[in-house]
């Protein structure tokens, strides 16, 4: 049972935090997290998306050099969400939040997303991780972060009043297909569904007018009728009416399509079970989605019911989750983790050193959160994280962590036994015992194969 309890914390969670109690019934512990409301605690004063857009608007209007308004709020949100990872007593829910954030990647590398990317996770992802996928899809597609990242704010129907007006002034305005293409390819159907380029173009026309009203008192999503392509559109043989309703109907249809369920099941199984997941697991999760109308909590139940999901060591931890696990094992104090903590721009320091260490880790190991190179997000496959340079970067970070103040009182062998339990190999235990220093022993633990895998 202890092996399963440890596996529940490692495979489905974020690693054991210090000596936190092991669950007597690991599967029940995971199910309880799915049934409970999101217990994430964030400092009061974090910006919502409207606040973020106001900061961005003011910064642009006043042409302030640097990033004086958006930057502090962004860092406060990033560190608050990292602190949540380190402190969470609902690590399965936390893993799911990061999984779905990666599925619906918004990156800092495009547009003004820095102002709204933190609120995006809290507003569009977290509320839906155990709800209906179609609800999450609609929330994501209407969120300013996604509309900015995939350029839908600049998409205009070629036959719309806005396009004709622009043409009279010698300007050429038209469709931007980025959001439609990525939604079909990455977020819902996947190319296996057999959609065509014409379907991408038609879906982009359906989504014209979905934009952001930056002039509003509280900026946010807006439907702009004069930028919308008029007329009925056809997507994969189905008619969708003009107007905002057409987009809502199309997303509802895509979010409950069998091909979408198969795609989501494959993504979940690849993340939690194996780089090449067993077809039986994919089929079981997809069936759970079909039978429940796309309920993600039900899909998560199907995931933890699969025996393959409990086999240790079949996945390499991504750098971010690896660093989270190492820091949770050290169990550093997290004094800034309070719902009534200081506002992000109050001048106080609401975030503990561990959150800053995690931020440093993500940069040095090549996986800074919310900064994926492409819309397909960070890879779930070991081959993309196990190049010699990647493993050297892990070892170097582990050595720096082992020498940090947060590890000053650490007992390496006790941490190894607490964090890995029966998964700790005798060879690693012996190496830790015979290490020349506490720092060397901790480095050996954090670079051991069983610690790097999940």
């Amino acid at each position: 049972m202890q092996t399963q309890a440890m596996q529940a914390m490692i495979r489905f969670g974020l690693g054991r935090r210090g000596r936190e109690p092991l669950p007597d019934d690991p599967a029940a512990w995971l199910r309880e997290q799915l049934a409970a409301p999101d217990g994430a605690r964030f400092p009061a004063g974090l910006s919502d998306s409207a606040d973020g857009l106001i900061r961005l608007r003011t910064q642009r209007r006043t042409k302030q050099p640097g990033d004086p308004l958006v930057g502090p709020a962004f860092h406060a949100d990033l560190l608050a969400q990292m602190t949540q990872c380190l402190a969470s007593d609902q690590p399965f829910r936390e893993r799911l939040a990061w999984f779905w954030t990666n599925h619906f990647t918004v990156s800092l590398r495009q547009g003004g997303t820095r102002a709204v990317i933190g609120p995006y996770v809290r507003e569009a992802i977290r509320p839906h991780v155990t709800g209906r996928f179609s609800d999450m899809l609609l929330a994501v597609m209407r969120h300013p972060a996604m509309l900015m990242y995939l350029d839908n704010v600049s998409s205009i129907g070629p036959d719309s009043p806005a396009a004709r007006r622009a043409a009279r002034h010698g300007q050429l305005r038209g469709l931007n297909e980025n959001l439609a293409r990525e939604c079909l390819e990455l977020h819902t159907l996947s190319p296996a569904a057999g959609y065509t380029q014409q379907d991408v173009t038609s879906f982009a026309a359906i989504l014209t007018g979905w934009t952001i009203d930056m002039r509003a008192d509280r900026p946010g999503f807006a439907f702009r009728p004069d930028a919308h392509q008029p007329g009925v559109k056809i997507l994969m043989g189905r008619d969708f009416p003009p107007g905002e309703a057409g987009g809502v109907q199309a997303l509802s249809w895509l979010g409950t399509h069998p091909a979408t369920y198969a795609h989501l099941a494959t993504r979940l199984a690849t993340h939690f079970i194996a780089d090449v997941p067993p077809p039986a697991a994919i089929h079981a999760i997809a069936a759970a989605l079909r039978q429940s109308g796309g309920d993600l909590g039900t899909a998560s139940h199907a995931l933890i019911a699969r025996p393959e999901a409990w086999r240790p060591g079949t996945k390499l931890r991504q750098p971010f989750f690896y660093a989270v696990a190492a820091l949770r094992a050290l169990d550093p104090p997290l004094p800034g983790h309070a719902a009534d903590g200081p506002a992000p721009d109050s001048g106080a320091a609401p975030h503990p050193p561990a959150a800053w260490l995690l931020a440093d880790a993500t940069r040095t190991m090549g996986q800074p959160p919310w900064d994926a190179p492409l819309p397909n997000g960070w890879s779930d496959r070991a081959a993309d994280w196990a190049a010699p340079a990647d493993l050297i970067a892990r070892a170097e970070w582990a050595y720096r962590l082992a020498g940090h103040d947060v590890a000053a009182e650490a007992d390496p062998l006790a941490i190894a036994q607490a964090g890995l339990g029966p998964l700790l190999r005798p060879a690693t235990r012996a190496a830790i015992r015979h290490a020349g220093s506490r720092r060397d022993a901790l480095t050996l633990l954090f670079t051991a194969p069983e610690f790097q895998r999940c």
Side-chain angles (χ1 to χ4, degrees):
M1 179 58 75
Q2 193 182 46
T3 300
Q4 275 214 335
M6 194 61 66
Q7 186 65 3
M9 291 197 157
I10 293 172
R11 169 61 55 84
F12 300 106
L14 298 162
R16 189 179 185 185
R17 189 166 193 271
R19 294 177 177 273
E20 68 177 313
L22 292 173
D24 294 330
D25 185 338
W29 179 63
L30 298 174
R31 290 194 295 268
E32 288 168 4
Q33 294 180 53
L34 297 174
D38 186 359
R41 303 161 60 207
F42 295 109
L46 288 183
S47 296
D48 62 17
S49 56
D51 291 335
L53 291 172
I54 290 171
R55 290 172 189 269
L56 180 63
R57 181 177 66 191
T58 304
Q59 198 168 274
R60 286 175 172 172
R61 283 178 177 173
T62 55
K63 298 181 179 178
Q64 299 182 45
D67 199 17
L69 301 180
V70 171
F74 164 76
H75 282 109
D77 216 322
L78 175 64
L79 293 170
Q81 298 203 38
M82 288 189 168
T83 303
Q84 177 60 32
C85 278
L86 298 174
S88 177
D89 56 4
Q90 293 180 319
F92 188 29
R93 285 193 72 103
E94 202 63 26
R95 276 287 295 274
L96 290 170
W98 285 86
F99 169 81
W100 289 113
T101 298
N102 192 55
H103 179 79
F104 288 112
T105 287
V106 166
S107 176
L108 299 169
R109 302 189 185 194
Q110 177 72 21
T113 57
R114 188 177 169 90
V116 289
I117 198 166
Y120 166 70
V121 178
R122 290 185 280 109
E123 296 167 356
I125 301 294
R126 286 186 178 275
H128 303 290
V129 296
T130 55
R132 294 199 320 153
F133 176 74
S134 56
D135 292 337
M136 182 187 284
L137 177 64
L138 181 61
V140 163
M141 294 290 281
R142 292 165 63 101
H143 199 278
M146 185 61 81
L147 293 169
M148 294 166 80
Y149 175 52
L150 291 178
D151 305 311
N152 213 67
V153 293
S154 63
S155 185
I156 293 178
D159 302 316
S160 67
R164 292 198 297 271
R165 190 165 56 247
R168 288 196 293 272
H169 293 84
Q171 299 171 340
L172 183 61
R173 299 288 176 84
L175 295 177
N176 187 306
E177 298 181 349
N178 289 350
L179 180 60
R181 178 178 294 105
E182 305 305 359
C183 182
L184 294 176
E185 179 181 341
L186 302 174
H187 305 155
T188 59
L189 302 177
S190 87
Y195 59 82
T196 66
Q197 173 55 42
Q198 180 54 46
D199 290 315
V200 174
T201 301
S202 182
F203 188 32
I206 290 173
L207 295 175
T208 50
W210 288 46
T211 187
I212 304 167
D213 184 357
M214 288 294 286
R215 297 179 179 177
D217 290 341
R218 300 289 295 166
F221 172 80
F223 179 70
R224 185 182 166 194
D226 73 333
H228 184 66
Q229 177 71 2
V232 173
K233 293 90 175 174
I234 301 174
L235 173 60
M236 296 186 74
R238 286 179 171 258
D239 291 353
F240 292 95
E244 183 182 357
V248 174
Q249 290 179 23
L251 289 171
S252 177
W253 179 68
L254 289 169
T256 54
H257 195 286
T260 297
Y261 293 152
H263 179 53
L264 301 181
T266 302
R267 292 292 305 267
L268 277 165
T270 304
H271 182 81
F272 282 100
I273 296 179
D275 289 5
V276 182
I282 296 173
H283 293 156
I285 298 169
L289 285 165
R290 283 195 307 273
Q291 293 161 10
S292 65
D295 185 87
L296 297 180
T298 302
S300 298
H301 280 279
L303 169 69
I304 61 180
R306 296 302 307 174
E308 305 95 326
W310 293 87
R311 292 173 187 157
T314 59
K315 293 287 297 181
L316 181 70
R317 277 174 162 154
Q318 294 178 11
F320 176 71
F321 294 123
Y322 165 71
V324 171
L327 284 161
R328 282 176 66 95
L330 289 171
D331 196 15
L334 299 169
H337 185 65
D340 57 351
D345 53 357
S346 65
H351 303 292
W356 292 102
L357 280 171
L358 182 54
D360 171 68
T362 61
R363 283 191 293 271
T364 58
M365 290 191 280
Q367 195 188 16
W370 310 338
D371 201 19
L374 296 169
N376 59 352
W378 298 110
S379 171
D380 271 316
R381 301 180 190 280
D384 295 312
W385 298 113
D390 297 324
L391 299 180
I392 289 172
R394 288 191 187 211
E396 289 176 344
W397 179 80
Y399 185 71
R400 288 200 302 277
L401 176 65
H404 194 275
D405 288 348
V406 300
E409 304 298 326
D411 179 340
L413 192 55
I415 291 174
Q417 290 171 335
L420 294 170
L423 304 178
L424 179 63
R425 296 181 308 145
T428 302
R429 183 184 292 108
I432 292 172
R433 279 185 174 143
H434 294 97
S437 66
R438 178 167 55 194
R439 184 175 190 175
D440 289 347
L442 281 173
T443 305
L444 286 168
L445 166 61
F446 294 142
T447 54
E450 62 268 42
F451 193 89
Q452 298 197 53
R453 303 195 72 83
C454 61

